[in-house]
Amino acid sequence: MKTSKLLTLLLLIMTTLTFAQPRFNQKKEQIKALKIAYITDELQLTTEEATKFWPLFNAYEEKQKKFRKERIRSYMDQNDNGDIDKMTEKEASSVLIEIENYEEDAFQNRKKFVASLKTILPATKILKLKKAEEGFNKKLLKQYRDKFSKE
């Protein structure tokens, strides 16, 4: 009897996880598509600019994502090994240095990205890009808050 309940529970959990993953990926793709539309609208890219811009932007975003994952993984690995309060000063300093290195790499990636953009876009559109990215993030966060404040 207990085995059958356990098996049923396990099957239910696996089914839920199986269906949740595609939905999560679908949401990520929807957000990415909305971001592309939002940035395209805000920057008013010409066809020639868009052809050169989007491959650069996508490569930049992927690298930034990689830096975030590495930084979070490093922090979580250290945190999983024990409570921060239990870390020695040397261990804490080491974690801080790793985090600073990832942040520096992300900053250098942004600088290279902007330098590349200067070859294909006027400075005004590069500034509009920064504003559009911030605007999109604010809009997304507001929608998220509104959705969960109603529930």
Side-chain angles (χ1 to χ4, degrees):
M1 185 74 173
K2 284 185 180 183
T3 307
S4 103
K5 285 183 182 180
L6 185 61
L7 190 59
T8 304
L9 181 61
L10 184 60
L11 185 61
L12 180 64
I13 290 171
M14 291 191 58
T15 304
T16 302
L17 290 176
T18 303
F19 286 109
Q21 187 64 31
R23 246 184 284 142
F24 177 73
N25 287 337
Q26 186 180 18
K27 286 287 185 192
K28 277 181 25 178
E29 289 302 316
Q30 285 176 335
I31 291 170
K32 186 175 182 178
L34 289 171
K35 185 174 186 177
I36 289 169
Y38 187 87
I39 290 173
T40 300
D41 186 50
E42 292 294 311
L43 268 56
Q44 298 177 351
L45 298 171
T46 66
T47 305
E48 184 181 327
E49 288 172 337
T51 305
K52 295 176 183 175
F53 170 79
W54 287 112
L56 279 176
F57 184 81
N58 292 332
Y60 162 74
E61 288 264 297
E62 280 302 310
K63 272 190 171 179
Q64 290 297 88
K65 186 174 152 182
K66 179 184 151 214
F67 291 134
R68 279 190 302 271
K69 277 185 176 180
E70 288 174 357
R71 186 181 69 215
I72 290 169
R73 185 179 305 124
S74 172
Y75 179 74
M76 293 304 284
D77 287 348
Q78 291 298 324
N79 219 10
D80 286 345
N81 292 336
D83 196 309
I84 293 175
D85 294 330
K86 294 178 184 174
M87 280 185 176
T88 66
E89 193 61 28
K90 187 175 180 180
E91 290 171 331
S93 291
S94 175
V95 171
L96 281 176
I97 289 169
E98 281 184 48
I99 290 171
E100 289 170 351
N101 288 339
Y102 291 130
E103 289 174 355
E104 178 63 28
D105 290 345
F107 173 72
Q108 290 304 323
N109 185 44
R110 180 71 183 189
K111 281 181 72 170
K112 287 178 188 173
F113 174 62
V114 171
S116 297
L117 287 180
K118 287 179 182 178
T119 65
I120 59 170
L121 295 177
T124 53
K125 285 192 178 181
I126 296 171
L127 290 174
K128 284 181 180 181
L129 172 63
K130 178 75 172 149
K131 185 177 177 184
E133 287 177 301
E134 291 171 1
F136 180 79
N137 290 337
K138 284 180 184 177
K139 184 177 176 180
L140 190 64
L141 188 59
K142 184 182 180 323
Q143 287 178 349
Y144 181 78
R145 282 185 189 146
D146 290 349
K147 179 182 177 182
F148 287 103
S149 67
K150 292 177 184 177
E151 290 179 359

